[in-house]
Amino acid sequence: MAIADWHSRSNSDKKLFGFCPFWQTSTTATPSSSASSTQNLTTSSSNPHVGVPNSSRPATKTVSYVARSLLPPRRRLRLDPSNNLYFPYEPGKQTRSAVRLKNTSKSHVAFKFQTTAPKSCYMRPPGGVLAPGDSIIATVFKFVEAPENNERQPLDQKSKDKFKIMSLKVKGGIDYVPELFDEQKDQVTVERILRVVFLNAERPSPALEKLKLQLAEAEAALEARKRPPPDTGPRVVGEGLVIDEWKERREKYLARQQVEAVDSM
């Protein structure tokens, strides 16, 4: 009875091993196959990339690119205001807003404006280059359309119009041209996307007062740039001024001689 059980158990084991060819090969491996396996293992350990598919190799560039894309962009400009562009609500008129841009990086930075409403908005200047630490107040002009059916526009709310401010690191002394941002698209950073917010022009508010101060400062800076630079060189006297001065001196000399002649008489 025990012998029969042993035979039946051995037959079942054989069937089990038959269903598992991997185990069967391992148990029947010859010394030569073992040696070749050992040699392959040694070769693989000396060269870690042998036998490894290309897809499983460490892709350093891909990983670094993904890491950079996940990190927040490094800001080069500080904006004031930082999120909105405030416009006095004056339907049927062209109103103005202002935003200060300051270069907070250690290199020269080019900036550029873009808007979703190019037919009703434009910027002055539309772009430029700022040296490290320099700042500028850009003026934004917008035509405010009258509401349909005489409906009143809700104030202190965001409009659908947006402004995008982009920056690009450039070399010192370079002149601004819009093509800079097309030639180096991979180096362009979107600094901010500003939304248009209308303010009640008849109701005083901190945002409206700040806007008036920035607009006045922008106008003063524009007038200063229009004025010719002061002349620090030597003063050149015109020919007419020299002749007039010589005539004045001659007349004084002749008058003094006449007085002396009268006194001597």
Side-chain angles (χ1 to χ4, degrees):
M1 188 70 181
I3 296 175
D5 293 339
W6 182 85
H7 281 292
S8 63
R9 189 183 304 170
S10 62
N11 291 332
S12 62
D13 293 342
K14 290 180 180 180
K15 292 180 180 180
L16 180 61
F17 278 96
F19 283 112
C20 301
F22 175 75
W23 294 344
Q24 187 176 2
T25 304
S26 300
T27 55
T28 59
T30 59
S32 60
S33 63
S34 301
S36 61
S37 301
T38 305
Q39 184 178 2
N40 292 336
L41 180 61
T42 305
T43 307
S44 300
S45 62
S46 61
N47 188 1
H49 295 295
V50 174
V52 180
N54 293 333
S55 59
S56 62
R57 293 180 182 178
T60 307
K61 294 183 179 180
T62 305
V63 173
S64 61
Y65 176 79
V66 173
R68 286 197 304 268
S69 62
L70 295 176
L71 293 175
R74 185 177 181 181
R75 306 294 182 187
R76 303 185 180 102
L77 301 175
R78 184 169 68 233
L79 277 63
D80 183 24
S82 58
N83 296 315
N84 301 320
L85 275 176
Y86 297 100
F87 287 87
Y89 183 64
E90 298 176 354
K93 297 182 180 180
Q94 187 182 67
T95 60
R96 296 181 301 165
S97 182
V99 56
R100 183 189 297 274
L101 288 76
K102 183 175 182 179
N103 182 6
T104 57
S105 68
K106 297 181 179 180
S107 60
H108 285 70
V109 172
F111 66 91
K112 179 182 178 181
F113 280 90
Q114 284 186 345
T115 178
T116 58
K119 294 182 179 180
S120 61
C121 304
Y122 70 94
M123 291 69 66
R124 187 181 67 188
V129 177
L130 292 175
D134 284 355
S135 63
I136 188 174
I137 296 181
T139 307
V140 186
F141 298 83
K142 176 176 176 58
F143 179 79
V144 182
E145 298 180 358
E148 298 179 359
N149 301 326
N150 295 326
E151 295 180 357
R152 193 170 184 179
Q153 172 75 21
L155 300 178
D156 298 334
Q157 291 189 6
K158 294 182 179 179
S159 171
K160 295 180 180 179
D161 298 337
K162 300 177 184 178
F163 289 85
K164 181 166 65 175
I165 302 178
M166 300 176 293
S167 68
L168 175 66
K169 180 181 177 181
V170 296
K171 296 181 179 179
I174 192 172
D175 294 330
Y176 169 78
V177 289
E179 290 75 16
L180 288 173
F181 289 81
D182 298 331
E183 297 171 356
Q184 306 181 42
K185 290 183 178 180
D186 56 338
Q187 302 296 328
V188 175
T189 298
V190 177
E191 293 287 340
R192 293 288 181 182
I193 296 180
L194 306 178
R195 297 291 297 268
V196 172
V197 176
F198 290 113
L199 300 175
N200 191 341
E202 299 177 356
R203 185 181 65 188
S205 64
L208 186 60
E209 294 300 324
K210 183 177 180 179
L211 174 60
K212 292 179 179 179
L213 292 176
Q214 285 187 330
L215 289 174
E217 186 176 350
E219 288 295 330
L222 180 62
E223 292 298 327
R225 289 194 297 268
K226 289 181 179 180
R227 288 196 298 266
D231 187 8
T232 58
R235 184 173 178 269
V236 179
V237 180
E239 182 178 358
L241 297 178
V242 174
I243 294 176
D244 293 340
E245 185 179 0
W246 178 81
K247 288 176 62 178
E248 183 179 358
R249 290 182 179 181
R250 183 171 181 276
E251 290 176 357
K252 288 182 178 180
Y253 174 75
L254 293 177
R256 187 169 56 251
Q257 280 190 342
Q258 291 178 359
V259 171
E260 292 177 355
V262 171
D263 293 340
S264 62
M265 290 179 61

